[in-house]
Amino acid sequence: MKHIALLLSLLFATSAQARDLTIFAAASLKEPLDQLLQTQPGVTATYGGSGTLARQVMAGAPADLVFLAHPDWMQAMDKAGVLTPGTVTDLLGNQIVIVAPAGTPDLALTPHAFAAALGPDGRLAIGLTASVPAGIYGAESLTALGLWNTVKDHLAEVDSVRAALALTARGEAPLALVYRTDARVEPAVTIVATLPEDSHTPILYQAAAVGPANPEATALLDLLKSPAGQAAFEQAGFIPLAAP
C-alpha cells in the first residue's frame, strides 16, 4: 500500500494544491480512501450513507467530489444540476454478506436458518432499505431469495452500512447485512453467508466532481480511476471497474 500512496502523491502534487478539496464518500470506502488521502495535503473526506450525503450536496453542502455506492443517488444529483457535466465515473464493485459475532458458524440462506439465528427478539442490522445502498441491495437480495418475509419485522435499520456493522460488532444484533469490505475491517464479526450476486442489482460505486468545472477536483477524480488508485481499492477488497 505504501508504494501506491507514494505514486499517488507524486502524480497529485502538481495539480491539486491550489486550494483545499472536500470529498463526500460512502462510509464503506473509509479505510482505503483515508489511506490514499494521507499523502494529499488539503484533501479531506466526509463519510456517511450515500443517500444522506447526496441530499446534503443537493442542499448546497460544500463538496468538490462525491464518491457514492449507488447510481440512483448520482442520477438524482445529476438531475438536480449539482454535478460537473461529464464527470460521472464507474469506479468499483463490491459484494453483500451477512455477518455475525466472531466464531458464529455459517448460516444457510433459508427462512428456517434466519429465523433460528434471529430468535424471537433478535434483529438483522441493515442500512435503511429506502436510501442506504447496502440496504437497497440487501432488500432486493433477501426478497429474491425468499427471505424477506422472515426478516422484515426483525430489522434494525440504520443510516449507514458501518452503523449496521457496529451493531453486530457490539453484540447488539445477532446478524448484520454489510459489504464484504466492511467485514474485512472488523475483527469482532465473521462472514456467515454471502448473498448471490445475481440476487440483486449489480453493486456500483461511482464518483463525480461537483459544481462548475474545477481542474483540482478533476485531477483527484483521475487519480481515483488511475491504475494506482484502483489497485489501492482492490487491496481493500473492492472490485475495480474503471477502464485503464
Side-chain angles (χ1 to χ4, degrees), residues 34-62:
D34 276 352
Q35 183 71 30
L36 294 178
L37 296 184
Q38 284 181 4
T39 58
Q40 313 307 321
V43 182
T44 58
T46 294
Y47 297 102
S50 292
T52 298
L53 297 176
R55 286 190 290 265
Q56 290 174 351
V57 171
M58 288 187 285

Side-chain angles (χ1 to χ4, degrees), residues 124-136 155-161 164 177:
L124 170 65
I126 187 172
L128 291 163
T129 56
S131 60
V132 173
I136 296 171
L155 300 179
E157 295 192 51
V158 290
D159 63 2
S160 76
V161 67
L177 187 149

Side-chain angles (χ1 to χ4, degrees), residues 21-37:
L21 297 175
T22 300
I23 303 175
F24 278 24
S28 51
L29 294 164
K30 180 172 174 53
E31 283 73 24
L33 190 53
D34 276 352
Q35 183 71 30
L36 294 178
L37 296 184

Side-chain angles (χ1 to χ4, degrees), residues 68-72 75 90 92-96 133-134 136-138 140-141 179 195-206 239 241:
L68 305 182
H70 201 290
D72 283 0
Q75 291 169 14
D90 296 350
L92 303 170
N94 211 329
Q95 290 180 303
I96 292 287
I136 296 171
Y137 296 125
E140 288 180 8
S141 183
Y179 295 118
L195 303 188
E197 292 183 15
D198 62 0
S199 67
H200 57 78
T201 304
I203 296 170
L204 178 60
Y205 288 73
Q206 294 179 309
I239 301 167
L241 299 178

